[in-house]
Amino acid sequence: MKVVALVSGGKDSCYAMMKCIQYGHQVVALANLMPVDDSVDELDSYMYQTVGHQIIVSYAECMGLPLFRRRIQGSTRQAFMQKLLYGAYKAYFSVSNEFCGLFRHEKLTYTTTPGDEVEDMFILLNEVKKQIPSVGAVSSGAIASDYQRLRVESVCSRLGLVSLAYLWKQDQSLLLQEMIASEILAITVKVAAMGLDPTKHLGKDLASLSPYLHKLKGLYGINVCGEGGEYETLTLDCPLFVNARIMLDEFQVILHSSDSIAPAAVLHTLAFHLEHKKWQCSLPGSGETQEICLENKGSVFEVEGDSAQVCDAAVQSAAEVLDSITIAENKLHISRTQKGDTFSICCWLEHSTNSSTGVQEDLTAVLRRMELKLAEYGFGWENVLYIHLYIADMKEFTTANETYVRFIKQEKCRFGVPSRSTIELPLLEVGLGNAYMEVLVANDHTKRVLHVQSISSWAPSCIGPYSQATLHKNILHMAGQLGLDPPTMILCEGGITAELEKALENSEAVAKCFNSSISTSAIIFVVYCSARIPSSERHQIQDKLDVFLKQIRPSHFNKESISEAVDPIFLYILAPDLPKRALVEVKPILFIPEDIEETNGTLKDPSCIQGPSCWGFQHESWHDQCMKKCVVPGELCTIILCVTSEVAMKLGSATSGAENRTDYDNYFTEEQLREISRFCIYLLNRVITENGFSWEDIMYLRLYFPTSLHVPLEKLSFVFANAFTELAAMDQTLKIDNEPIFNLVPVVGAGNSATSMDDIFTCELMARRL
């Protein structure tokens, strides 16, 4: 992509440009925001470094690139208003944990605010895009600041640009070493931290100061890259300065604070000159941009104006197309679990053989119905934690995604967009439409959302209204992770094991943002496997997963935490195809307890719980072999129940005429399906009640079935719904209404082992106590 680089003059923005070039991008322009008054060194800004701004004008000549600059008209208006709001609530009310959580999220996120300094960036980059229409991305040097990253991402989203943040979440010690090794000559132009003396450390280059910074890190815990505001730098030379280097001739130290512990001062440049390099050249790819005339390369353009508008004509046109789509209401079906505070809603479309609708029409109908259903409960998309999006053909992924983002927008999700997993399923083969959706809904706004849209070296970006992970009441719901190389967003080479290892590394990077690890906190791994993987190679999936978790687990243990590690369960789903033609996709769910939260309600003594006698089933030892469970006492219960052909044969032996049958993989009578459905519900009921849970605690219940059964989803839904009705007649605590409490999911295969994804039925259940 062609990139405009946000430059402050510091080491980070320069090294970010070098990383862009390393990953094959072309830096074609520079953009900088500066104070209105040239004599002012530093603004009171949460967003921009302005110390040394007097020298930035020379970057255009040093690099041979056009430089676009704008004087900062706005202020930190949104953050200031949020601070006032929070102060008012704190002064007059007892502020709840929920409100504090909302404030933390609202403080980080950004919505278009007239007069805010972020709008200056929008105007600046909008002008760059007008002058150089081929620009597709913006580079920034963000390392750890969510505040800055989210605002850059917001501006990029509004302008249709991609945010590149290759330094994001990188180890600062290693990053500093890399910058020095990459021959970035940067000096300190501001110091404001314990141990940094303006008389000794201002004007020092990073290479000579690095050992001392690491010493201060050991003594006081400072950020060695200055991410906590400990110091700021000015780059005088680097490999990107192909034409000249900057030489300081005269400067003065201006003391801002004489604090005896952490004095603050800046280096104010009075005079400088350029020292031209003997061998002048151009940056890789910079000569290919035709929008800026050759005589303007190295020129400086000042961007003025008070506002900028982005044309929404294309979006409006698409909306008009959607408005013309209508599908009969009786073809849409809904299921819903009964848990009051966190529940799942599923919407699917009955397919008509006479219908010629595609994924856009079907997904539009499903999204509209889901939106109405949420509204019935007084909720909106902002209440959604997670979305499972199933489509009939992965070749239609782009169309499905375009339809999705027209309904689920960041503006509708002010507390953070939901996390998401998308796979292809054999929907049409079981009588469904082209799209099927399941959403997990919460009745509060206490979720914490991790949504990084920038492409970086940290983990795959989520460009659009879907996030990497959502934490809600101690449960971390992670988006499906592919084996993507984060900085290039390309599937890694090497086959199944290489993809799986990278997917797990990406999952671990996300978990670390919540001070956790998939090796110690995961309660369940759902692994989607492409049907393109030969059956003889599927064992590699399970082997690699086991090895990876064992390798990283010791590094997250200490003597106190060994007993607290969770022993996860595993579910393998065989799907026709995955996004980007991936071979594997990993979806972990983690349990992350917080000390400030306590289990609500009274924990029941399992020994005192007597479940109803269900259909005359008596416990037998082989029943336990059908199930895997992960239970956190008093908190949650996760179950995987597998009905294999062998189990079906044992159940079928009690059915008249079943003794002589051997084709259990291909055909079942309604009576046999009814017996299997009762058995599944009997076992699930026994496990949840024995562990102190009830059906009212169920967050979701998925019933996976293979298309090889040759049974329409409608028929299976009828059989399982009847079984639950029968259970409700035996157990008065279970309330059944017109909507099923389970989701039926058609798959190619499923099981608790990668080598035997051939279950007749596989149940996945999660229950959490209030």
Side-chain angles (χ1 to χ4, degrees):
M1 288 184 289
K2 292 181 179 178
V3 178
V4 54
L6 290 170
V7 292
S8 64
K11 66 187 187 316
D12 302 337
S13 57
C14 284
Y15 191 55
M17 284 191 285
M18 294 177 69
K19 298 298 285 186
C20 285
I21 294 171
Q22 176 185 330
Y23 289 115
H25 302 296
Q26 302 170 5
V27 179
V28 297
L30 308 174
N32 170 254
L33 290 127
M34 58 182 178
V36 172
D37 187 347
D38 287 335
S39 65
V40 173
D41 284 296
E42 186 174 31
L43 297 178
D44 183 16
S45 170
Y46 293 160
M47 274 296 296
Y48 310 119
Q49 172 188 324
T50 55
V51 180
H53 67 86
Q54 301 90 344
I55 290 179
I56 302 301
V57 67
S58 63
Y59 276 34
E61 185 174 348
C62 288
M63 297 181 67
L65 293 176
L67 169 65
F68 295 80
R69 305 191 81 187
R70 175 175 171 82
R71 298 186 183 276
I72 303 168
Q73 308 292 324
S75 60
T76 53
R77 188 177 182 87
Q78 188 188 62
F80 177 72
M81 293 304 295
Q82 289 163 340
K83 187 175 181 180
L84 285 180
L85 174 64
Y86 180 65
Y89 268 89
K90 190 173 182 180
Y92 295 105
F93 300 100
S94 175
V95 183
S96 67
N97 286 335
E98 179 174 349
F99 180 82
C100 291
L102 294 182
F103 173 74
R104 285 195 297 270
H105 180 83
E106 288 291 300
K107 183 178 179 181
L108 288 177
T109 57
Y110 178 77
T111 55
T112 304
T113 306
D116 194 280
E117 62 184 351
V118 176
E119 295 308 303
D120 289 298
M121 183 195 300
F122 178 84
I123 296 169
L124 175 64
L125 293 178
N126 188 50
E127 182 62 27
V128 174
K129 191 175 179 183
K130 286 181 180 178
Q131 297 297 325
I132 314 177
S134 62
V135 164
V138 176
S139 167
S140 69
I143 297 176
S145 172
D146 282 304
Y147 182 92
Q148 294 173 350
R149 174 186 59 79
L150 286 166
R151 278 151 180 75
V152 173
E153 290 176 352
S154 174
V155 169
C156 287
S157 178
R158 291 161 63 188
L159 291 173
L161 299 170
V162 175
S163 172
L164 303 177
Y166 286 117
L167 312 189
W168 181 249
K169 290 292 183 183
Q170 298 302 291
D171 181 273
Q172 291 189 39
S173 293
L174 294 177
L175 203 52
L176 185 60
Q177 293 174 17
E178 289 177 10
M179 292 180 190
I180 295 170
S182 299
E183 300 182 343
I184 291 179
L185 175 60
I187 62 170
T188 52
V189 290
K190 176 187 176 182
V191 293
M194 185 182 298
L196 290 177
D197 186 340
T199 62
K200 296 179 181 179
H201 302 122
L202 269 179
K204 297 296 182 181
D205 66 273
L206 282 180
S208 62
L209 198 58
S210 177
Y212 186 64
L213 291 173
H214 281 88
K215 179 181 178 180
L216 293 182
K217 177 187 177 184
L219 291 172
Y220 310 122
I222 74 160
N223 297 277
V224 295
C225 280
E227 278 299 286
E230 294 88 347
Y231 70 92
E232 291 179 3
T233 61
L234 178 65
T235 300
L236 303 178
D237 193 15
C238 74
L240 300 180
F241 288 14
V242 293
N243 297 323
R245 62 178 60 88
I246 301 168
M247 307 296 291
L248 294 187
D249 298 322
E250 187 178 356
F251 56 83
Q252 68 179 122
V253 174
I254 299 178
L255 194 65
H256 285 181
S257 170
S258 58
D259 185 272
S260 59
I261 298 176
V266 299
L267 195 73
H268 178 74
T269 302
L270 298 174
F272 69 94
H273 72 276
L274 298 184
E275 182 180 276
H276 289 276
K277 296 182 178 181
K278 185 176 181 180
W279 303 106
Q280 298 184 15
C281 57
S282 61
L283 292 177
S286 61
E288 300 176 18
T289 299
Q290 302 300 320
E291 291 93 342
I292 294 291
C293 297
L294 291 176
E295 58 266 25
N296 289 335
K297 289 202 170 182
S299 298
V300 179
F301 305 87
E302 184 157 339
V303 178
E304 299 179 344
D306 297 325
S307 62
Q309 300 294 327
V310 178
C311 181
D312 291 326
V315 176
Q316 292 171 355
S317 175
E320 290 171 3
V321 172
L322 295 182
D323 285 340
S324 66
I325 297 172
T326 57
I327 291 180
E329 182 70 16
N330 61 3
K331 291 186 177 293
L332 288 163
H333 300 270
I334 290 287
S335 65
R336 181 196 186 280
T337 53
Q338 297 179 339
K339 188 168 176 58
D341 64 336
T342 313
F343 55 90
S344 67
I345 305 176
C346 187
C347 182
W348 69 94
L349 183 67
E350 182 183 330
H351 179 65
S352 172
T353 55
N354 298 323
S355 173
S356 59
T357 60
V359 69
Q360 183 184 46
E361 293 84 356
D362 288 0
L363 183 55
T364 297
V366 167
L367 283 162
R368 280 180 172 167
R369 185 69 182 90
M370 187 68 77
E371 203 164 54
L372 290 172
K373 195 65 181 176
L374 288 169
E376 285 181 22
Y377 298 113
F379 300 143
W381 293 114
E382 65 184 22
N383 295 92
V384 176
L385 306 176
Y386 201 96
I387 293 177
H388 286 86
L389 177 59
Y390 306 131
I391 58 178
D393 187 352
M394 193 53 70
K395 294 185 182 70
E396 298 293 328
F397 176 81
T398 300
T399 302
N401 209 42
E402 290 172 352
T403 307
Y404 178 95
V405 301
R406 289 170 192 144
F407 282 84
I408 305 174
K409 305 173 182 291
Q410 296 194 43
E411 295 78 21
K412 295 182 179 180
C413 304
R414 59 196 179 104
F415 306 109
V417 292
S419 303
R420 191 184 81 179
S421 175
T422 304
I423 64 171
E424 178 183 320
L425 289 181
L427 303 178
L428 301 179
E429 295 179 38
V430 294
L432 296 180
N434 292 280
Y436 179 128
M437 177 179 283
E438 178 191 330
V439 302
L440 186 64
V441 186
N443 69 351
D444 58 30
H445 298 135
T446 60
K447 65 180 180 181
R448 277 180 54 200
V449 174
L450 176 65
H451 184 203
V452 179
Q453 299 185 69
S454 300
I455 294 177
S456 68
S457 297
W458 162 70
S461 62
C462 287
I463 302 174
Y466 33 90
S467 59
Q468 280 89 353
T470 300
L471 178 65
H472 181 254
K473 295 189 175 179
N474 297 351
I475 301 177
L476 183 67
H477 306 272
M478 198 179 296
Q481 290 289 342
L482 303 177
L484 294 172
D485 177 46
T488 63
M489 293 297 288
I490 296 174
L491 279 174
C492 64
E493 298 178 350
I496 314 167
T497 55
E499 279 192 33
L500 178 57
E501 183 169 17
K502 180 57 68 174
L504 291 169
E505 288 175 358
N506 294 337
S507 300
E508 180 69 1
V510 173
K512 283 182 178 179
C513 292
F514 295 87
N515 298 316
S516 188
S517 168
I518 61 172
S519 65
T520 56
S521 299
I523 52 180
I524 182 172
F525 286 90
V526 179
V527 184
Y528 298 111
C529 307
S530 170
R532 294 185 294 114
I533 303 173
S535 57
S536 59
E537 297 180 13
R538 292 173 189 167
H539 68 92
Q540 298 178 29
I541 301 172
Q542 197 162 330
D543 294 344
K544 170 56 72 173
L545 182 54
D546 292 342
V547 169
F548 184 90
L549 295 177
K550 288 177 181 176
Q551 285 178 339
I552 67 170
R553 205 173 201 192
S555 63
H556 297 280
F557 271 152
N558 56 47
K559 292 180 179 179
E560 289 75 22
S561 67
I562 292 177
S563 61
E564 299 175 3
V566 179
D567 191 14
I569 56 178
F570 301 87
L571 172 61
Y572 298 87
I573 304 293
L574 198 59
D577 202 1
L578 300 173
K580 294 182 178 289
R581 297 287 286 169
L583 295 174
V584 66
E585 177 178 331
V586 179
K587 188 191 69 172
I589 300 178
L590 280 62
F591 176 69
I592 306 178
E594 296 183 20
D595 294 337
I596 60 172
E597 294 188 8
E598 297 179 359
T599 304
N600 295 319
T602 304
L603 178 61
K604 300 176 183 178
D605 180 2
S607 63
C608 298
I609 299 171
Q610 297 294 329
S613 177
C614 299
W615 301 289
F617 284 113
Q618 298 296 322
H619 177 67
E620 297 185 40
S621 58
W622 63 268
H623 290 181
D624 296 331
Q625 299 171 8
C626 301
M627 295 180 299
K628 301 291 183 182
K629 63 182 179 181
C630 179
V631 179
V632 179
E635 291 274 358
L636 63 87
C637 175
T638 306
I639 306 170
I640 299 296
L641 188 156
C642 299
V643 177
T644 63
S645 296
E646 291 75 18
V647 171
M649 190 174 296
K650 290 179 180 179
L651 294 173
S653 64
T655 304
S656 176
E659 300 86 349
N660 299 322
R661 289 207 42 248
T662 58
D663 56 343
Y664 285 96
D665 291 336
N666 301 309
Y667 176 80
F668 284 90
T669 65
E670 186 169 328
E671 183 179 358
Q672 290 157 349
L673 288 174
R674 185 162 54 248
E675 188 71 6
I676 292 173
S677 68
R678 290 169 173 173
F679 177 72
C680 290
I681 296 171
Y682 153 72
L683 280 186
L684 293 174
N685 185 70
R686 182 170 66 82
V687 175
I688 62 175
T689 55
E690 284 180 353
N691 288 279
F693 297 86
S694 71
W695 287 101
E696 292 183 348
D697 298 321
I698 305 301
M699 292 170 57
Y700 64 77
L701 170 58
R702 301 186 192 104
L703 306 177
Y704 301 94
F705 67 99
T707 53
S708 60
L709 283 180
H710 304 295
V711 180
L713 182 141
E714 185 179 3
K715 181 176 182 180
L716 287 177
S717 181
F718 175 78
V719 170
F720 275 91
N722 277 349
F724 272 106
T725 300
E726 292 170 358
L727 178 64
M730 295 180 278
D731 183 357
Q732 299 303 315
T733 64
L734 176 60
K735 306 299 181 184
I736 299 294
D737 54 25
N738 294 328
E739 296 170 350
I741 66 171
F742 55 86
N743 303 332
L744 280 164
V745 185
V747 294
V748 178
N752 59 22
S753 170
T755 57
S756 57
M757 292 181 279
D758 54 4
D759 291 354
I760 292 172
F761 286 105
T762 308
C763 305
E764 179 191 0
L765 177 149
M766 179 175 287
R768 184 180 60 77
R769 286 183 57 78
L770 291 173

